[in-house]
Amino acid sequence: MTLFWTLAALLTVAALLFLFVPMLMTRPSREGPPSTAVTDAKVSVYRSQLADLEADREAGTISEDQFNTARTDLQRSLLEASEGSTGAPARGSKGSWRLPVGIGGLIAVPVLAVVIYQGYGAGEAGLEETQRSTPQTAEAGTDANMEAAVNALAARLEENPDDPGGWALLGRSLLFMDQPRAAAGAYAQAIRYGGNEDPDILVTYADLLGSLDGGDLNARALPFITQALELEPDHTNALWLAGLAAFRASDYEKTEGYWERLAAQLTPGSEEAELIRSNLEEVRSRLNSTAEPDNGPPASPPQ
């Protein structure tokens, strides 16, 4: 048995050398712009969906207003997806992954060797023990872990509710689990306990309320959008939602103002900037079509 463990140790050292020697060799750093493959795929899906909408409009399946609303929603989805991807941190050149990987390998290789031996080299008894400790399915285990983590977070927040960031995290988790109404309740608690000073929380809650209200941003969502813009006048998502709410209320002057401010935040020539420019052309076209001379008294503002 002593000879076996001696040989096993020598083989382990040899395996570690195969891991460490390449990692310790100096390699020239390479930096380059981040891949645009994901963005191109999203744009391709958007163009395909837009083409379907245009075909439905030409066939008379949907009206012009329905087409414009659907097109605006598509553009909003692309804008939000792009903002999420551009907000991701770029991989920097500082720091090295080799040391942590090397330490991990130093620990993992011997441990895995022993575990595998116990499971397969120790005969049927070891194999049966390994099988008993393995979950039936990875998906069931992941779902159970996610639900347990959400329940634990909810319990902690019930005991210590003065944590708007925790409530927002709970809301995002519930959205991931496809529970939008429960997520809205969590965001309401976030705002109650101080999230009303965070424009991101306000905008996310407003967007969620608009979805629950069937896309109507002028019902419950608008006050939170307005409050977010008071805190951060150049908040891109807030400007988008504010313009969209005004557009759906046929208030094209407000729409133009909000989306002009949004366009100023985007990179000139980018896909998002072109979409907003196209939207602004549509808004200005509607403004021009309604700008007719009228010698009568001005219409009263809505009450």
Side-chain angles (χ1 to χ4, degrees):
M1 181 64 70
T2 303
L3 177 61
F4 167 77
W5 286 113
T6 302
L7 293 175
L10 291 174
L11 291 174
T12 301
V13 171
L16 290 173
L17 288 176
F18 279 104
L19 289 174
F20 284 128
V21 170
M23 281 190 283
L24 294 176
M25 292 176 63
T26 303
R27 299 174 61 187
S29 62
R30 293 178 295 179
E31 297 182 357
S35 173
T36 60
V38 176
T39 302
D40 291 343
K42 292 173 182 176
V43 172
S44 177
V45 171
Y46 160 76
R47 288 174 175 165
S48 175
Q49 292 175 335
L50 182 60
D52 291 340
L53 286 175
E54 290 175 345
D56 289 341
R57 180 183 61 176
E58 292 175 1
T61 306
I62 59 176
S63 66
E64 183 68 23
D65 287 341
Q66 289 173 328
F67 168 78
N68 288 325
T69 299
R71 183 184 65 177
T72 303
D73 287 339
L74 283 177
Q75 293 170 347
R76 166 193 171 194
S77 299
L78 180 61
L79 178 67
E80 291 177 348
S82 173
E83 180 175 317
S85 63
T86 55
R91 182 178 61 184
S93 59
K94 294 184 179 179
S96 175
W97 52 267
R98 298 178 183 179
L99 181 60
V101 170
I103 294 174
L106 181 64
I107 297 172
V109 171
V111 171
L112 287 175
V114 174
V115 170
I116 292 173
Y117 172 76
Q118 291 292 337
Y120 296 96
E124 293 183 0
L127 180 59
E128 291 175 359
E129 181 65 26
T130 302
Q131 290 176 341
R132 283 196 297 268
S133 65
T134 303
Q136 292 183 353
T137 62
E139 183 177 357
T142 301
D143 291 343
N145 291 338
M146 179 69 176
E147 186 174 356
V150 169
N151 290 337
L153 177 59
R156 180 180 69 79
L157 290 170
E158 289 296 332
E159 295 179 359
N160 301 287
D162 192 12
D163 182 3
W167 285 110
L169 175 60
L170 179 61
R172 290 193 297 272
S173 302
L174 291 169
L175 276 177
F176 179 79
M177 297 172 66
D178 198 21
Q179 298 181 31
R181 294 193 179 277
Y187 273 102
Q189 291 290 84
I191 291 174
R192 175 184 178 187
Y193 289 105
N196 58 330
E197 298 297 326
D198 187 328
D200 290 332
I201 291 178
L202 290 167
V203 169
T204 304
Y205 183 47
D207 196 10
L208 184 54
L209 289 178
S211 298
L212 292 174
D213 290 340
D216 185 0
L217 295 170
N218 292 285
R220 296 184 293 170
L222 189 58
F224 299 101
I225 299 171
T226 303
Q227 188 174 356
L229 287 174
E230 290 174 354
L231 293 170
E232 188 176 331
D234 292 333
H235 195 286
T236 54
N237 277 346
L239 288 170
W240 167 257
L241 291 177
L244 188 59
F247 182 86
R248 290 177 176 172
S250 299
D251 191 342
Y252 302 124
E253 290 186 1
K254 279 189 177 181
T255 304
E256 183 182 30
Y258 286 127
W259 284 352
E260 281 181 344
R261 288 163 57 188
L262 173 59
Q265 309 303 316
L266 303 175
T267 303
S270 66
E271 191 73 24
E272 298 79 19
E274 290 302 310
L275 290 176
I276 296 301
R277 183 189 60 78
S278 176
N279 285 349
L280 284 170
E281 289 178 357
E282 174 68 21
V283 169
R284 288 160 184 158
S285 174
R286 296 195 178 200
L287 281 171
N288 292 333
S289 65
T290 57
E292 299 178 356
D294 187 359
N295 296 326
S300 300
Q303 299 297 321

